[in-house]
Amino acid sequence: MNDALEERLERLTGTLERMRLDEYVEYVSNRRRLIFDNLLYGMVRGFGFTLGFAVLAALCAVLIKNMVVENIPVIGGFLAEVINAIQARM
């Protein structure tokens, strides 16, 4: 019975070491580092969203401009007015 208990205890210890539970507890207990890391993560994520939206918006603007140049019947006139209004406000 003692051998089985010792074996289970050794497996549990090995599992905890592989999980690096001690490093996680140390990370969570250090509030300054936790706040700094989360702040940095939020800033990088916000920058990524902004950059992605800018690229997507530029792509849409190019596509709309090309549609107006191609003069697609029904949509072309409406899009030309929208682009002219946007350029007038810039």
Side-chain angles (χ1 to χ4, degrees):
M1 184 82 163
N2 246 351
D3 292 336
L5 185 59
E6 284 182 25
E7 182 182 331
R8 289 182 72 190
L9 187 59
E10 286 178 22
R11 282 194 315 192
L12 179 62
T13 304
T15 302
L16 288 175
E17 286 176 0
R18 283 194 307 273
M19 286 175 44
R20 295 191 237 185
L21 189 61
D22 57 338
E23 292 177 16
Y24 177 73
V25 170
E26 183 181 333
Y27 173 74
V28 172
S29 64
N30 188 351
R31 292 204 184 262
R32 281 188 177 174
R33 181 172 178 200
L34 191 63
I35 290 171
F36 177 75
D37 285 350
N38 284 326
L39 181 65
L40 185 64
Y41 173 71
M43 289 173 28
V44 169
R45 190 171 179 189
F47 179 71
F49 284 144
T50 303
L51 187 63
F53 179 75
V55 168
L56 187 62
L59 182 64
C60 287
V62 167
L63 289 174
I64 289 173
K65 185 177 179 182
N66 286 340
M67 289 172 82
V68 170
V69 168
E70 295 294 327
N71 199 13
I72 296 177
V74 179
I75 302 172
F78 173 72
L79 291 177
E81 290 177 24
V82 170
I83 290 176
N84 286 336
I86 291 172
Q87 287 178 349
R89 290 182 185 245
M90 291 179 130

